[in-house]
Amino acid sequence: MNSRHTWLAGVDVGGTTIKLAILTEEGTFIEKWEIPTNTADSGHHIPSEIAAALRLKLNALDTDFHALKGIGVGAPGFIEAETGFVYQAVNIGWQNYPLSERLEKETGVPVFANNDANLAAAGEMWKGAGEGAPNMLAVTLGTGVGGGIIAEGRILQGAYGMAGEIGHITSVPEGGAPCNCGKTGCLETISSATGIVRLAMEKVHRGESAGLKEAFDRAGSLSSKDVFEVAAVGDQGAEAVVEEAMFHLGLAIGNLANSLNPNVIVIGGGVSRAGDRLLRALRPHFDRYALPKISAETTFEIARLGNDAGVLGAAWLARQQGNRSE
Amino acid sequence: MNSRHTWLAGVDVGGTTIKLAILTEEGTFIEKWEIPTNTADSGHHIPSEIAAALRLKLNALDTDFHALKGIGVGAPGFIEAETGFVYQAVNIGWQNYPLSERLEKETGVPVFANNDANLAAAGEMWKGAGEGAPNMLAVTLGTGVGGGIIAEGRILQGAYGMAGEIGHITSVPEGGAPCNCGKTGCLETISSATGIVRLAMEKVHRGESAGLKEAFDRAGSLSSKDVFEVAAVGDQGAEAVVEEAMFHLGLAIGNLANSLNPNVIVIGGGVSRAGDRLLRALRPHFDRYALPKISAETTFEIARLGNDAGVLGAAWLARQQGNRSE
């Protein structure tokens, strides 16, 4: 049986599933599992369902909540880090919801909450591609473009927990594509998986890429990885899409690096499955727009933790904040 | 006579003059004066000349170095905050120069060094336009465009002390004007005092602004303030210059605010003498490119401390770091 208060729980609340993990203080997984996200009643059942899932697993490990030093929770939305109060998490249903308070009441364990993109960044800093880098920029290229900024080993929160919204950097100041945020021309309309596929489908519809059309006809859909692969065999239409997406990403990240001076930039999310192909296409644009010294000293890495980044980052948060409040 | 270790010294090393001040721990000026910057022998005499100036002033106040809790020093260049080691300060002559070590040897007082733009930002946070704001972006529109980022009440340093180089955000990705940094199209080629005057002189030479020509002919030169004033009386050429400078500044700051989420953005430097005229021209561009919630909650202020910002920020640094190491 575990001695008291030495383990950590990491929880990553998504729109469809909640990922949970129990870890040692050193970040070694003891258990890792998922439960469905119950979005009924504006997500009000979620804290008790997280608590029940943790209790069952701890009991199976022949222990209880006393084994936990803290619980870290990430969710997609605007969250006040100090209080764990969720202003809004649209996909979950929470609005002005005291997440940490509710989960502490259910478990009796200190709870620390933060935005999921920030915690994925923290996870990569702790155990992944940014391991040991005190200054890190994490960019997640998925449905949207998410960001997490680590400065001197801490999550950069900003005034209202909104720091890191790099997907809404404006890449096209006039006449850009509409974005979910209400603006137009945001980076995520171009360089996200969604953006890359949108640009690729334009090429298909205009008959400007035989390779993309063939890939689309074969599978009935296109992924951003398809676009990188078709570009790699010399299809000019696909190459133009990759260039456009990587130009805007390199410009935005280069500008950010001039302001933040990170040791390492970690690229994750579905688009990062293109791996070295992505980095080779991205780097020249970054090098052109970053200051010479920044471009010389900043390294790029593909994220390593995949879906584990969120629970690892949540556990890191519980460890860091728990140590601080002792 | 002052009791021991309760005062602070703030030193702001510029290319022409060194500004010095002795302050209370609360930031009240006891003395404030300047000496010329001796750039001979690659700036090697500067620490002993700073020490001599401080010693004389402390003696005149009937005390000595024991009165000082710490000395903060700012200089224009790349400085490692932890050690006070200056990698390079071109205008001063220092290269790989152990500034803090030398000044500590001369004075026997703990010395803390940092980039001058960062310290000007810290000064405005402590006693100026950003007073009490834990998250602040300071933008200095002078010969160049400088920046300082305050996050959770601390200076954001980045990996090599280069954070805050916002003047080298690329505003014109293709075909922009050459910048001193070696790139082209940097924000400071457009929105600095130098950039605004450059754009205004183009209007004069092309005969596109009767108002700017008249102002130029009257004074033999143009300032950025002239450009704002001529624009304010409806001169279309001058209005176009203001619009271009404020469009690029608003876009760059809006993008940064999406990433940093500051409480307040403080605009300083020579261009900020245009005051409300500047803010009225800037704000619509910022509001267009910042996320709706960021635009709604971020305030703008004109810097208040003028030339005192640097020595106040340096004293703040000495106070903060001195408290930490006790």
Side-chain angles (χ1 to χ4, degrees), chain A residues 175-264:
Chain A
C179 182
N180 291 330
C181 75
K183 300 196 298 142
T184 60
C186 293
L187 177 62
E188 78 174 34
T189 67
I190 302 166
S191 305
S192 65
T194 320
I196 291 171
V197 170
R198 177 180 66 81
L199 295 172
M201 289 307 298
E202 286 178 12
K203 295 285 179 198
V204 171
H205 291 137
R206 288 196 208 121
E208 290 173 2
S209 165
L212 288 173
K213 183 172 189 315
E214 195 187 310
F216 176 73
D217 288 344
R218 201 181 324 121
S221 67
L222 276 180
S223 72
S224 60
K225 191 155 175 280
D226 294 333
V227 180
F228 278 92
E229 280 171 6
V230 173
V233 296
D235 180 281
Q236 289 190 355
E239 280 175 350
V241 172
V242 167
E243 272 302 289
E244 185 170 352
M246 294 301 107
F247 164 78
H248 284 294
L249 185 62
L251 174 60
I253 296 179
N255 285 340
L256 265 183
N258 289 340
S259 305
L260 299 172
N261 185 202
N263 304 82
V264 55

Side-chain angles (χ1 to χ4, degrees), chain B residues 294-318:
Chain B
I294 298 273
S295 124
E297 309 221 18
T298 309
T299 58
F300 276 82
E301 298 282 347
I302 295 291
R304 291 195 196 127
L305 300 177
N307 288 333
D308 290 345
V311 292
L312 274 162
W316 171 88
L317 181 72

Side-chain angles (χ1 to χ4, degrees), chain B residues 56-69:
Chain B
L56 270 173
K57 194 65 74 176
L58 288 164
N59 292 350
L61 291 163
D62 197 19
T63 184
D64 58 21
F65 281 126
H66 291 106
L68 295 182
K69 183 188 177 85

Side-chain angles (χ1 to χ4, degrees), chain A residues 66-91:
Chain A
H66 290 104
L68 296 182
K69 183 188 177 86
I71 301 172
V73 190
F78 300 130
I79 301 176
E80 189 177 70
E82 280 164 37
T83 59
F85 186 86
V86 180
Y87 291 108
Q88 188 164 49
V90 177
N91 295 339

Side-chain angles (χ1 to χ4, degrees), chain A residues 69-125:
Chain A
K69 183 188 177 86
I71 301 172
V73 190
F78 300 130
I79 301 176
E80 189 177 70
E82 280 164 37
T83 59
F85 186 86
V86 180
Y87 291 108
Q88 188 164 49
V90 177
N91 295 339
I92 315 298
W94 292 329
Q95 186 146 17
N96 297 322
Y97 190 73
L99 171 60
S100 289
E101 188 188 310
R102 293 287 163 89
L103 190 52
E104 277 181 6
K105 209 168 157 184
E106 295 280 350
T107 62
V109 178
V111 173
F112 306 95
N114 212 301
N115 172 270
D116 59 350
N118 287 344
L119 292 187
E124 290 287 346
M125 169 185 66

